[in-house]
């Protein structure tokens, strides 16, 4: 009898532990909260420099208020550049004419990195690896690599692509990434869902000649195509790591890896497949450590007949292959569809609850950023009022770096011409990986227990080594706590100071 009782108690404790593990955290202190800002929709095209700068600043301010802590910004849509490149021409999505520099001159990527970092946001440089023309009607600049090495490219449908089979294609793409990572203070290199192109019915990708030349050792073309992409992904990861070991490399694949009808381990879906149709073996990349994060684009609604959102979130949560997983969210799809269980509401509450119910899911990315800024379906309002009510630090990528910087030094409040400021000195460091690049400022009542795991106490995340104190009459005591963050958001020990405000 005692043994049975003990077993029942153990079972109860186990079930409570499991329930606790999957209990959504209402206000997580660590969460990836990103948004994609794309160029291919033409939102930048031909807009005068100052006006475009102001538009981007306005977007970033709006996203910052909505709690976004990372921006994924499209810098290479068609083997071109929204930045100053010696390898590829200026993008037509910036100036309207490929190869034409902006006038007055500016560098959008440099500008966005600076503005994102000012706001405590990460900057992820989003590139499209293989695409060269979104339409055959598009004019390429005379100096475009296509006009120098036309033999590296293939036409498929109405578009032109690098041939993924060629070593020359991989070498060029890695040169571009080397250039970006070397010259710009990016936090990550990001690739979206365009690997081999989305298939056109009845039309095979024209790589018979390349298969005949490079396909030795492969009995079928599909395995060979996957291998071509695998080699590129591995080379990009090695390139980035060698240059700057704190820069991440992430992908945002199509939302279905494989359907169950193709693979018993696949999801209960019936849509296009990364593995079989785009030749993107995302799980292999994660398993081998060739990618640092994965953001599958789960743009469908809960209840979608072919690709149900809930089914896919659960599937990816169980198939992370030990790499950080974030969910790619479609803002419009979320607000335009009703919650199946509560038809008077849209699907945001249920989607957020699902996302936060799994320990293996570390956040999400909003598509597109403009829909958040425009507050479609009051989406931005909901983020501000509830889901992103308090700031969040991005997750720690402990497989890249798990050592925190030293704590801040010489912290003291000082009266200045600009008001009452809390100053501190940056901690010393020996290696760039240990350098403090940001600081988190927390505020507590004088007798309140210091608990920095509670994000409601965060009053600022800043790159400055000072914080302006909200002085009133000097009669109320508060305790301010400051910690240092390194490039990968490892957090130092605290330094506290009591002040009267």
């Amino acid at each position: 009898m005692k043994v049975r009782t003990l077993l029942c108690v153990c079972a109860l404790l186990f079930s409570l532990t499991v329930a606790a593990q999957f209990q959504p955290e209402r206000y997580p202190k660590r969460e990836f909260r990103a948004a994609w800002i794309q160029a291919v929709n033409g939102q930048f095209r031909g807009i005068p420099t100052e006006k475009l700068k102001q538009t981007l600043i306005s977007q970033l301010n709006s996203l910052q208020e909505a709690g976004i802590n990372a921006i994924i910004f499209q810098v290479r849509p068609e083997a071109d550049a929204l930045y100053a490149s010696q390898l590829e021409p200026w993008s037509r999505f910036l100036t309207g004419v490929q190869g034409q520099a902006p006038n007055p001159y500016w560098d959008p990527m440099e500008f966005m990195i600076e503005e994102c970092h000012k706001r405590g946001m990460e900057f992820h440089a989003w590139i499209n690896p293989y695409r060269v023309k979104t339409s055959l009607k598009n004019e390429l600049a005379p100096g475009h690599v296509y006009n120098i090495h036309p033999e590296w490219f293939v036409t498929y449908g109405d578009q032109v692509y690098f041939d993924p089979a060629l070593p020359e294609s991989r070498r060029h793409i890695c040169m571009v990434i080397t250039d970006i990572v070397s010259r710009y203070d990016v936090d990550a290199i990001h690739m979206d869902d365009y690997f081999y192109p989305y298939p056109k019915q009845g039309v095979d990708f024209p790589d018979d000649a390349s298969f005949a030349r490079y396909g030795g050792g492969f009995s079928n073309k599909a395995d060979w195509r996957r291998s071509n992409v695998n080699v590129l992904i591995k080379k990009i990861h090695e390139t980035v790591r060698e240059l700057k070991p704190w820069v991440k490399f992430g992908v945002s694949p199509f939302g279905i890896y494989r359907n169950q009808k193709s693979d018993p381990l696949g999801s209960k879906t019936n849509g296009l497949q990364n593995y079989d149709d785009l030749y993107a073996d995302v799980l292999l990349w994660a398993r081998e450590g060739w990618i640092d994060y994965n953001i599958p684009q789960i743009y469908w609604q809960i209840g979608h007949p072919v690709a149900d959102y809930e089914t896919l979130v659960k599937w990816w949560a169980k198939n992370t292959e030990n790499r950080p997983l974030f969910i790619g969210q479609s803002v419009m799809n979320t607000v335009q569809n009703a919650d199946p269980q509560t038809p008077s509401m849209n699907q945001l509450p249920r989607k957020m609850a699902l996302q936060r119910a799994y320990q293996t899911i570390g956040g999400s990315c909003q598509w597109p950023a403009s829909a958040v800024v425009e507050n479609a379906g009051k989406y931005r309002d909901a983020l501000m009022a509830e889901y992103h009510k308090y700031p969040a630090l991005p997750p720690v990528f402990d497989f890249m770096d798990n050592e925190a910087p030293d704590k801040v030094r010489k912290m003291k409040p000082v009266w200045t011409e600009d008001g009452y400021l809390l100053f501190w000195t940056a901690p010393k460091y020996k290696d760039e990986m240990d350098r403090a690049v940001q600081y988190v400022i927390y505020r507590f009542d004088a007798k309140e227990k210091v608990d920095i795991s509670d994000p409601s106490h965060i009053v600022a995340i800043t790159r400055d080594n000072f914080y302006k104190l909200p002085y009133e009459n000097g009669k109320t005591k508060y305790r301010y706590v400051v910690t240092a963050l390194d490039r990968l958001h490892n957090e130092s020990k605290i330094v506290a100071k009591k002040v009267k405000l």
Side-chain angles (χ1 to χ4, degrees):
M1 185 70 181
K2 285 181 180 177
V3 172
R4 186 179 296 172
T5 304
L6 184 63
L7 286 172
C8 287
V9 170
C10 288
L12 177 62
L13 288 172
F14 177 74
S15 64
L16 288 172
T17 302
V18 170
Q21 282 179 345
F22 290 94
Q23 186 67 33
E25 192 177 353
R26 189 175 180 187
Y27 301 123
K29 180 185 164 178
R30 295 274 184 180
E31 191 170 55
F32 187 74
R33 298 174 177 174
W36 280 289
I37 297 181
Q38 82 275 41
V40 291
N41 65 344
Q43 66 171 322
F44 308 147
R45 194 169 177 171
I47 296 178
T49 296
E50 284 309 312
K51 186 179 178 186
L52 183 48
K53 283 182 177 180
Q54 289 310 311
T55 299
L56 289 168
I57 284 171
S58 175
Q59 286 184 7
L60 290 180
N61 286 342
S62 176
L63 293 166
Q64 182 187 17
E65 288 171 3
I68 298 300
N69 60 21
I71 296 296
I72 302 178
F73 185 75
Q74 191 169 29
V75 300
R76 184 186 187 259
E78 294 178 308
D80 53 4
L82 276 91
Y83 61 96
S85 171
Q86 296 297 313
L87 299 171
E88 295 184 322
W90 284 100
S91 176
R92 67 186 178 89
F93 291 111
L94 180 64
T95 61
V97 178
Q98 193 180 80
Q100 182 177 304
N103 185 22
Y105 183 87
W106 70 305
D107 185 323
M109 179 154 68
E110 183 178 57
F111 174 83
M112 285 294 284
I113 290 168
E114 186 179 331
E115 293 298 328
C116 285
H117 288 171
K118 266 188 207 172
R119 291 165 177 77
M121 296 168 160
E122 288 194 333
F123 179 92
H124 295 222
W126 164 17
I127 69 163
N128 188 288
Y130 297 124
R131 188 175 60 203
V132 174
K133 280 190 180 188
T134 53
S135 167
L136 294 179
K137 290 179 287 192
N138 298 339
E139 290 286 326
L140 295 177
H144 194 288
V145 65
Y146 177 88
N147 291 322
I148 301 165
H149 289 287
E151 71 277 11
W152 294 358
F153 301 89
V154 294
T155 300
Y156 182 58
D158 188 38
Q159 301 194 340
V160 175
Y161 300 88
F162 279 91
D163 183 344
L166 304 187
E168 294 87 350
S169 296
R170 294 190 281 270
R171 194 177 304 124
H172 180 84
I173 294 163
C174 285
M175 278 173 60
V176 168
I177 287 165
T178 297
D179 181 50
I180 292 172
V181 175
S182 299
R183 294 194 297 119
Y184 294 90
D185 190 16
V186 298
D187 298 292
I189 293 291
H190 178 89
M191 278 168 48
D192 56 0
D193 51 320
Y194 295 98
F195 299 102
Y196 272 82
Y198 281 73
K200 301 189 179 302
Q201 195 168 1
V203 184
D204 193 29
F205 189 75
D207 56 1
D208 286 343
S210 296
F211 185 51
R213 185 177 175 190
Y214 293 107
F218 287 91
S219 56
N220 72 75
K221 196 184 272 188
D223 286 341
W224 170 73
R225 286 174 176 169
R226 276 186 288 275
S227 174
N228 292 333
V229 184
N230 293 345
V231 172
L232 176 68
I233 296 291
K234 184 171 185 283
K235 281 183 179 297
I236 290 174
H237 193 261
E238 289 169 352
T239 299
V240 173
R241 270 294 187 282
E242 196 174 311
L243 289 164
K244 290 180 179 174
W246 59 87
V247 173
K248 299 182 275 278
F249 171 45
V251 296
S252 174
F254 182 74
I256 298 170
Y257 175 67
R258 295 193 91 186
N259 301 312
Q260 264 186 5
K261 66 183 179 185
S262 302
D263 182 342
L265 298 177
S267 52
K268 289 183 181 177
T269 50
N270 288 295
L272 184 118
Q273 305 166 100
N274 272 297
Y275 184 91
D276 304 81
D277 301 310
L278 306 179
Y279 307 99
D281 192 350
V282 184
L283 295 194
L284 175 73
W285 307 341
R287 192 159 55 245
E288 294 293 334
W290 297 339
I291 56 173
D292 300 316
Y293 67 76
N294 179 20
I295 315 181
Q297 297 173 16
I298 310 181
Y299 289 170
W300 303 277
Q301 69 268 30
I302 298 166
H304 191 285
V306 172
D308 172 53
Y309 176 92
E310 186 168 353
T311 298
L312 283 163
V313 166
K314 289 178 177 178
W315 188 89
W316 283 105
K318 292 172 186 170
N319 291 277
T320 64
E321 300 294 348
N322 208 28
R323 273 292 180 265
L325 173 71
F326 314 126
I327 303 301
Q329 305 278 15
S330 163
V331 174
M332 298 311 297
N333 195 295
T334 299
V335 300
Q336 287 171 354
N337 284 282
D339 183 329
Q341 294 179 26
T342 315
S344 61
M345 297 171 65
N346 68 36
Q347 294 196 350
L348 179 60
R350 194 169 298 278
K351 283 187 173 183
M352 288 300 294
L354 258 173
Q355 174 194 307
R356 288 177 173 169
Y358 292 90
Q359 286 186 318
T360 51
I361 298 174
S364 59
C365 188
Q366 310 298 332
W367 171 261
S370 56
V372 178
V373 171
E374 290 156 13
N375 198 23
K378 294 194 162 58
Y379 196 96
R380 181 174 175 274
D381 288 350
L383 293 183
M384 290 174 69
E386 176 58 27
Y387 305 110
H388 296 175
K389 184 175 182 179
Y390 301 114
L393 306 180
V396 171
F397 285 57
D398 54 6
F399 57 92
M400 293 175 70
D401 176 28
N402 62 0
E403 288 189 24
D406 288 341
K407 60 187 181 183
V408 303
R409 301 175 296 143
K410 302 175 185 176
M411 189 163 86
K412 60 181 178 181
V414 178
W415 281 102
T416 73
E417 289 178 356
D418 298 318
Y420 199 26
L421 302 183
L422 188 64
F423 280 102
W424 58 87
T425 302
K428 293 179 179 177
Y429 66 96
K430 291 180 181 176
D431 185 85
E432 181 63 24
M433 296 286 277
D434 303 322
R435 183 168 73 88
V437 294
Q438 285 189 113
Y439 303 95
V440 188
I441 298 101
Y442 305 82
R443 184 169 101 158
F444 300 87
D445 292 336
K447 294 181 180 178
E448 194 175 3
K449 184 185 174 186
V450 171
D451 176 13
I452 66 167
S453 67
D454 179 356
S456 70
H457 289 282
I458 297 175
V459 293
I461 301 168
T462 180
R463 293 201 164 212
D464 298 326
N465 66 336
F466 60 88
Y467 172 73
K468 187 170 183 179
L469 295 164
Y471 184 82
E472 288 181 2
N473 53 23
K475 292 182 180 178
T476 311
K477 275 188 181 177
Y478 294 101
R479 180 184 283 109
Y480 278 84
V481 167
V482 176
T483 60
L485 301 176
D486 64 17
R487 285 182 172 278
L488 284 157
H489 311 289
N490 292 291
E491 190 171 19
S492 75
K493 292 179 180 176
I494 68 169
V495 174
K497 200 73 172 176
K498 281 187 179 177
V499 294
K500 286 184 180 179
L501 300 177

